[in-house]
PDB file of all heavy atoms in Angstrom:
ATOM      1  N   THR A 185     -50.261  85.379   7.388  1.00 83.00           N
ATOM      2  CA  THR A 185     -50.283  84.607   8.568  1.00 83.00           C
ATOM      3  C   THR A 185     -51.193  83.413   8.452  1.00 83.00           C
ATOM      4  O   THR A 185     -50.736  82.285   8.839  1.00 83.00           O
ATOM      5  CB  THR A 185     -50.722  85.464   9.828  1.00 83.00           C
ATOM      6  OG1 THR A 185     -49.838  86.579   9.873  1.00 83.00           O
ATOM      7  CG2 THR A 185     -50.688  84.739  11.083  1.00 83.00           C
ATOM      8  N   THR A 186     -52.395  83.643   7.918  1.00 86.00           N
ATOM      9  CA  THR A 186     -53.315  82.487   7.830  1.00 86.00           C
ATOM     10  C   THR A 186     -52.844  81.522   6.728  1.00 86.00           C
ATOM     11  O   THR A 186     -52.982  80.270   6.772  1.00 86.00           O
ATOM     12  CB  THR A 186     -54.728  83.015   7.499  1.00 86.00           C
ATOM     13  OG1 THR A 186     -54.674  83.844   6.262  1.00 86.00           O
ATOM     14  CG2 THR A 186     -55.231  83.890   8.637  1.00 86.00           C
ATOM     15  N   ARG A 187     -52.278  82.032   5.589  1.00 86.00           N
ATOM     16  CA  ARG A 187     -51.792  81.165   4.521  1.00 86.00           C
ATOM     17  C   ARG A 187     -50.708  80.240   4.974  1.00 86.00           C
ATOM     18  O   ARG A 187     -50.571  79.106   4.551  1.00 86.00           O
ATOM     19  CB  ARG A 187     -51.307  82.019   3.329  1.00 86.00           C
ATOM     20  CG  ARG A 187     -52.465  82.619   2.572  1.00 86.00           C
ATOM     21  CD  ARG A 187     -51.948  83.163   1.209  1.00 86.00           C
ATOM     22  NE  ARG A 187     -50.929  84.222   1.317  1.00 86.00           N
ATOM     23  CZ  ARG A 187     -51.197  85.478   1.342  1.00 86.00           C
ATOM     24  NH1 ARG A 187     -52.481  85.858   1.302  1.00 86.00           N
ATOM     25  NH2 ARG A 187     -50.252  86.405   1.469  1.00 86.00           N
ATOM     26  N   GLY A 188     -49.881  80.690   5.950  1.00 86.00           N
ATOM     27  CA  GLY A 188     -48.850  79.845   6.467  1.00 86.00           C
ATOM     28  C   GLY A 188     -49.297  78.750   7.377  1.00 86.00           C
ATOM     29  O   GLY A 188     -48.559  77.809   7.625  1.00 86.00           O
ATOM     30  N   GLN A 189     -50.564  78.788   7.829  1.00 89.00           N
ATOM     31  CA  GLN A 189     -51.121  77.802   8.696  1.00 89.00           C
ATOM     32  C   GLN A 189     -52.168  76.924   8.045  1.00 89.00           C
ATOM     33  O   GLN A 189     -52.907  76.206   8.770  1.00 89.00           O
ATOM     34  CB  GLN A 189     -51.770  78.456   9.987  1.00 89.00           C
ATOM     35  CG  GLN A 189     -50.735  79.363  10.714  1.00 89.00           C
ATOM     36  CD  GLN A 189     -49.634  78.542  11.330  1.00 89.00           C
ATOM     37  OE1 GLN A 189     -49.810  77.444  11.760  1.00 89.00           O
ATOM     38  NE2 GLN A 189     -48.470  79.202  11.428  1.00 89.00           N
ATOM     39  N   ILE A 190     -52.268  76.947   6.761  1.00 91.00           N
ATOM     40  CA  ILE A 190     -53.335  76.230   6.051  1.00 91.00           C
ATOM     41  C   ILE A 190     -53.091  74.656   6.153  1.00 91.00           C
ATOM     42  O   ILE A 190     -51.930  74.243   5.943  1.00 91.00           O
ATOM     43  CB  ILE A 190     -53.412  76.683   4.541  1.00 91.00           C
ATOM     44  CG1 ILE A 190     -54.020  78.062   4.511  1.00 91.00           C
ATOM     45  CG2 ILE A 190     -54.235  75.652   3.784  1.00 91.00           C
ATOM     46  CD1 ILE A 190     -54.156  78.583   3.102  1.00 91.00           C
ATOM     47  N   ARG A 191     -54.102  73.894   6.455  1.00 92.00           N
ATOM     48  CA  ARG A 191     -54.090  72.518   6.411  1.00 92.00           C
ATOM     49  C   ARG A 191     -55.297  71.950   5.649  1.00 92.00           C
ATOM     50  O   ARG A 191     -56.392  72.524   5.786  1.00 92.00           O
ATOM     51  CB  ARG A 191     -54.073  71.916   7.842  1.00 92.00           C
ATOM     52  CG  ARG A 191     -52.954  72.378   8.752  1.00 92.00           C
ATOM     53  CD  ARG A 191     -51.653  71.731   8.290  1.00 92.00           C
ATOM     54  NE  ARG A 191     -50.540  72.171   9.117  1.00 92.00           N
ATOM     55  CZ  ARG A 191     -49.788  73.222   9.013  1.00 92.00           C
ATOM     56  NH1 ARG A 191     -50.000  74.023   7.989  1.00 92.00           N
ATOM     57  NH2 ARG A 191     -48.829  73.530   9.794  1.00 92.00           N
ATOM     58  N   ASN A 192     -55.055  70.999   4.853  1.00 93.00           N
ATOM     59  CA  ASN A 192     -56.130  70.424   3.992  1.00 93.00           C
ATOM     60  C   ASN A 192     -56.668  69.137   4.628  1.00 93.00           C
ATOM     61  O   ASN A 192     -55.916  68.413   5.302  1.00 93.00           O
ATOM     62  CB  ASN A 192     -55.635  70.125   2.604  1.00 93.00           C
ATOM     63  CG  ASN A 192     -56.697  69.862   1.598  1.00 93.00           C
ATOM     64  OD1 ASN A 192     -57.036  68.660   1.373  1.00 93.00           O
ATOM     65  ND2 ASN A 192     -57.308  70.894   1.037  1.00 93.00           N
ATOM     66  N   ALA A 193     -57.970  68.872   4.388  1.00 93.00           N
ATOM     67  CA  ALA A 193     -58.559  67.689   5.027  1.00 93.00           C
ATOM     68  C   ALA A 193     -58.196  66.441   4.355  1.00 93.00           C
ATOM     69  O   ALA A 193     -58.333  65.332   4.941  1.00 93.00           O
ATOM     70  CB  ALA A 193     -60.051  67.847   5.012  1.00 93.00           C
ATOM     71  N   PHE A 194     -57.716  66.424   3.137  1.00 93.00           N
ATOM     72  CA  PHE A 194     -57.522  65.219   2.370  1.00 93.00           C
ATOM     73  C   PHE A 194     -56.015  64.838   2.321  1.00 93.00           C
ATOM     74  O   PHE A 194     -55.170  65.684   2.321  1.00 93.00           O
ATOM     75  CB  PHE A 194     -58.052  65.394   0.936  1.00 93.00           C
ATOM     76  CG  PHE A 194     -59.536  65.515   0.919  1.00 93.00           C
ATOM     77  CD1 PHE A 194     -60.138  66.809   0.946  1.00 93.00           C
ATOM     78  CD2 PHE A 194     -60.377  64.413   0.762  1.00 93.00           C
ATOM     79  CE1 PHE A 194     -61.511  66.951   0.925  1.00 93.00           C
ATOM     80  CE2 PHE A 194     -61.754  64.615   0.736  1.00 93.00           C
ATOM     81  CZ  PHE A 194     -62.321  65.857   0.829  1.00 93.00           C
ATOM     82  N   GLU A 195     -55.732  63.548   2.178  1.00 92.00           N
ATOM     83  CA  GLU A 195     -54.389  63.031   1.936  1.00 92.00           C
ATOM     84  C   GLU A 195     -53.934  63.645   0.602  1.00 92.00           C
ATOM     85  O   GLU A 195     -54.643  63.591  -0.389  1.00 92.00           O
ATOM     86  CB  GLU A 195     -54.438  61.558   1.986  1.00 92.00           C
ATOM     87  CG  GLU A 195     -53.086  60.979   1.820  1.00 92.00           C
ATOM     88  CD  GLU A 195     -53.139  59.403   1.884  1.00 92.00           C
ATOM     89  OE1 GLU A 195     -54.119  58.892   2.197  1.00 92.00           O
ATOM     90  OE2 GLU A 195     -52.056  58.807   1.580  1.00 92.00           O
ATOM     91  N   PRO A 196     -52.662  64.129   0.517  1.00 89.00           N
ATOM     92  CA  PRO A 196     -52.211  64.740  -0.690  1.00 89.00           C
ATOM     93  C   PRO A 196     -52.301  63.766  -1.904  1.00 89.00           C
ATOM     94  O   PRO A 196     -51.943  62.592  -1.829  1.00 89.00           O
ATOM     95  CB  PRO A 196     -50.762  65.080  -0.388  1.00 89.00           C
ATOM     96  CG  PRO A 196     -50.728  65.250   1.136  1.00 89.00           C
ATOM     97  CD  PRO A 196     -51.702  64.301   1.607  1.00 89.00           C
ATOM     98  N   GLY A 197     -52.888  64.241  -2.992  1.00 86.00           N
ATOM     99  CA  GLY A 197     -53.000  63.461  -4.184  1.00 86.00           C
ATOM    100  C   GLY A 197     -54.065  62.408  -4.168  1.00 86.00           C
ATOM    101  O   GLY A 197     -54.120  61.543  -5.058  1.00 86.00           O
ATOM    102  N   SER A 198     -55.014  62.439  -3.245  1.00 89.00           N
ATOM    103  CA  SER A 198     -56.137  61.480  -3.204  1.00 89.00           C
ATOM    104  C   SER A 198     -57.373  62.178  -2.688  1.00 89.00           C
ATOM    105  O   SER A 198     -57.366  63.345  -2.275  1.00 89.00           O
ATOM    106  CB  SER A 198     -55.763  60.304  -2.279  1.00 89.00           C
ATOM    107  OG  SER A 198     -55.867  60.700  -0.882  1.00 89.00           O
ATOM    108  N   SER A 199     -58.447  61.410  -2.695  1.00 90.00           N
ATOM    109  CA  SER A 199     -59.712  61.928  -2.164  1.00 90.00           C
ATOM    110  C   SER A 199     -60.124  61.270  -0.874  1.00 90.00           C
ATOM    111  O   SER A 199     -61.272  61.358  -0.396  1.00 90.00           O
ATOM    112  CB  SER A 199     -60.845  61.679  -3.204  1.00 90.00           C
ATOM    113  OG  SER A 199     -60.660  62.254  -4.407  1.00 90.00           O
TER     114      SER A 199
END
Side-chain angles (χ1 to χ4, degrees):
T185 303
T186 57
R187 288 196 294 270
Q189 302 295 327
I190 288 179
R191 300 292 182 271
N192 192 267
F194 295 89
E195 184 178 348
S198 74
S199 299

